[in-house]
Amino acid sequence: MRRFELVEGTSAKFWEVWVAAAEVHTRYGRLGAAGKTTVKALESEDAAHALAASLVREKVGKGYVETSEVAPTAPSVPSAPSVPTAATAATAPVASEPALSPEPEPAPKPAKAAKPAKAAAAPKPPKAPAKGSADYQAGCDAWAAALGWLQLDRIEELSAEGYAAALDAALADPRAAGVAAPEAILDQVATLSLPDSQVCDEAQVEKLFGDDPAELAKQQARQLALRARIAEWMEAKHATLIRLLEAGYPATKRAKGSYSSPLENFVRSLPCSTQEKIPYAWDGPEGAASTTAADVLRAFVAHGSGVSDDALSEAAFLRYPALRVLVEAGGGTGNGILLAWWRATERSATSEGDVRADARRYLELLAPALRAAGADGLSFEGPNGVVAGALTLALTRGASDAVAALVSAGTALDQALAVDVTDDVHVGSNLLPGGQNQKFRCAAGFTSRDVAEATLDAHDSWEAALGDKDGPHVTDARRRARDRVRSLAATLAARGVPVSGLRVPLAPVETIPTPPTFKPTVDAALLGCVERLGGDSAEATRRLAALHPGGFGPFVYFKSAAGAVGPLLPRERLSETGAAWLCAYLGYDNGATFENLSGYSSDARAVIRKGTLLGVRGSDTVAVLGKDGSVACASVRGGVEPLAPDLETFVREDIGRIGVG
């Protein structure tokens, strides 16, 4: 399975794709939500893989970023993946192709608290009976009976004792063992997500049926019954996983075609804290089930499953009870704990109330683990080189709770960087080079106060360049981030944390030089458009004169200048050629976002998806800035037409020409 995410402005979405036999499965939705799943059957596996690759190219062209392999300094925020139901695995052998971008096998770290029990030898399935034979059908029937509770509408057919008896029968039946590989059965059960789509909270039921007392009582009773059935479903899932592990089903082996280990898939299947429709049985007697998710996590560790970095990362994404169990098991490398720390830090810095309090609790849990791994300071020597340490991540985000947790764990604030460190700071603007995550560099010798104050310098520089161009929501969030860093820098100064004397104001901010001829070229071309179309040329001249190219490159200035003069064009003439190139000036797109490109040729679609949208002309023609700096025109009727080798030439020869023509 491959996973992609798109986070821009107020939008935060994910998209996943995987191939099973000749079917292409996709899943999409908002980050943190369950998402929707689609399945498309094709004539062959080759056709399915070709379609999946085409869909991936389309999403990448729209700005989605693949998060299959997560880097510690620039992690993503995924949500729980959807997988084929185990009922499918119960009636046929598992034989899907490997994922398109498989992740290397993680290096598990044994638990520190207690030595794991020796796992039973994995059962070796006998030779599978011939498909269509009586033995093959009998094996499928055995698994269907054992895992029939996977279909929520059938959960009342068996008692808890019935579940166990049916599972024991399947485990003992050699015909069932020959139908599906052990790791496939374990993986299919582990991936099942909480079936809560039909559940409504009390307020929703009251709102929908409050005016009809009889119907209200009926729906309330229905919801109570549904919740009871789902609680029974959770109990059955947890008990079955533990039973499979005890029977020797491999806790560490990935199923064929699966991107993750069974433990990682189980963690992903757990509900996020935002899914509050059903109280989930995490641990302890207060839960509705006697076998809890914590019991399953401990069973995986006891049967030899190492706590991988990916499992920690998934647990840190709104699954804090699972994170507690995994951290207490002593699992994860410094990189994995840092990734979990990053997620908890972001949540603490950007949230308030109960959410922030919950994040603070797990920052306090992670801080000692970071200290034990040597990752709690300003830098950390990971397996792939030096990365930003936990203290740097907290300082550059203005996360005061995270700094407090580190200090409580024994981390000193007056330390200095031994090496250069690069961090990704989220700014929340597509106008900046590189998008919303800006590379931020701190030099060797910087103290923690230098890191905080250099971050503040960077935010001030970004604010001076961006102002209010991103819209009120994005701008307010950006300024709140700057204010958090400012407050933390002041706190460090008040505590007497020293400075190194090495910091040069604004030096850490990356800049892109703008050619000296570019501003006059853009200004003349846009002013020509305004004059030809009857706009307010005097006001356009004033606005353009006040704009400075800044340090963020030609494209940013072009968008800023177009945004300044665009509102001055007469509305009744916006469809004309000169104005039409400027219709996208408010979009700040990181790539074209057309919903339907079916009318374009394949080469035109490729250009639109891989480039950055500059503007539109008419209803079916777009100008696209390619990654190599060239500009091309893609249209429904004309295909692809090269316009200019670089942006300055495009402005001078195309917009300039239509501005005076």
Side-chain angles (χ1 to χ4, degrees), residues 281-292:
W282 286 105
D283 199 3
E286 71 279 8
S290 58
T291 305
T292 67

Side-chain angles (χ1 to χ4, degrees), residues 7-9 342 346 350 396-397 423-440 455 457-467 470-482 484-485 509-510 552:
V7 180
E8 58 181 12
W342 177 88
E346 291 282 349
T350 59
T396 55
R397 285 147 182 83
D423 187 16
D424 276 356
V425 177
H426 182 81
V427 182
S429 175
N430 283 328
L431 283 174
L432 295 173
Q436 300 187 24
N437 288 326
Q438 294 300 296
K439 293 292 183 184
F440 179 80
T455 307
D457 284 342
H459 274 287
D460 287 342
S461 177
W462 292 321
E463 177 62 22
L466 298 172
D470 290 298
H473 178 80
V474 175
T475 298
D476 288 347
R478 194 180 67 234
R479 289 173 179 169
R480 285 195 299 271
R482 179 193 59 183
R484 290 196 304 270
V485 176
V509 181
E510 288 188 346
F552 298 119

Side-chain angles (χ1 to χ4, degrees), residues 241-266:
L241 283 170
I242 292 176
R243 179 69 183 88
L244 290 171
L245 290 168
E246 290 173 345
Y249 277 57
T252 59
K253 188 175 181 180
R254 298 182 186 183
K256 185 177 181 181
S258 178
Y259 173 74
S260 305
S261 70
L263 172 60
E264 292 163 356
N265 281 333
F266 176 68

Side-chain angles (χ1 to χ4, degrees), residues 213-282:
E215 184 64 23
L216 176 61
K218 177 182 176 181
Q219 293 297 328
Q220 288 174 333
R222 177 180 177 275
Q223 289 294 316
L224 286 174
L226 181 59
R227 288 169 185 267
R229 288 169 59 200
I230 291 178
E232 196 173 0
W233 181 93
M234 289 189 291
E235 165 70 8
K237 174 185 174 178
H238 295 161
T240 300
L241 283 170
I242 292 176
R243 179 69 183 88
L244 290 171
L245 290 168
E246 290 173 345
Y249 277 57
T252 59
K253 188 175 181 180
R254 298 182 186 183
K256 185 177 181 181
S258 178
Y259 173 74
S260 305
S261 70
L263 172 60
E264 292 163 356
N265 281 333
F266 176 68
V267 174
R268 287 193 183 97
S269 77
L270 298 174
C272 298
S273 60
T274 53
Q275 296 171 281
E276 299 174 348
K277 293 181 178 180
I278 301 174
Y280 196 77
W282 286 105

Side-chain angles (χ1 to χ4, degrees), residues 467-546:
D468 296 320
K469 297 171 186 174
D470 290 298
H473 178 80
V474 175
T475 298
D476 288 347
R478 194 180 67 234
R479 289 173 179 169
R480 285 195 299 271
R482 179 193 59 183
D483 291 343
R484 290 196 304 270
V485 176
R486 188 186 305 280
S487 176
L488 191 51
T491 299
L492 294 175
R495 294 185 60 160
V497 177
V499 295
S500 64
L502 301 174
R503 180 173 62 88
V504 178
L506 306 184
V509 181
E510 288 188 346
T511 60
I512 297 178
T514 301
T517 59
F518 192 71
K519 174 177 169 56
T521 299
V522 171
D523 291 357
L526 298 184
L527 186 59
C529 287
V530 173
E531 292 175 342
R532 183 177 68 83
L533 295 166
D536 188 344
S537 58
E539 176 62 15
T541 300
R542 187 190 68 79
R543 292 187 180 187
L544 291 172

Side-chain angles (χ1 to χ4, degrees), residues 9-75:
T10 60
S11 177
K13 300 179 287 188
F14 73 92
W15 180 79
E16 298 167 347
V17 62
W18 68 94
V19 174
E23 293 180 341
V24 176
H25 298 250
T26 63
R27 184 166 173 271
Y28 60 93
R30 292 178 291 104
L31 286 179
K36 296 181 179 180
T37 302
T38 65
V39 180
K40 183 176 180 61
L42 289 95
E43 63 275 10
S44 67
E45 286 192 41
D46 289 342
H49 280 290
L51 176 59
S54 175
L55 294 173
V56 166
R57 288 193 296 270
E58 179 180 348
K59 289 298 178 184
V60 171
K62 290 184 177 182
Y64 280 75
V65 177
E66 184 165 6
T67 59
S68 294
E69 296 182 2
V70 184
T73 56

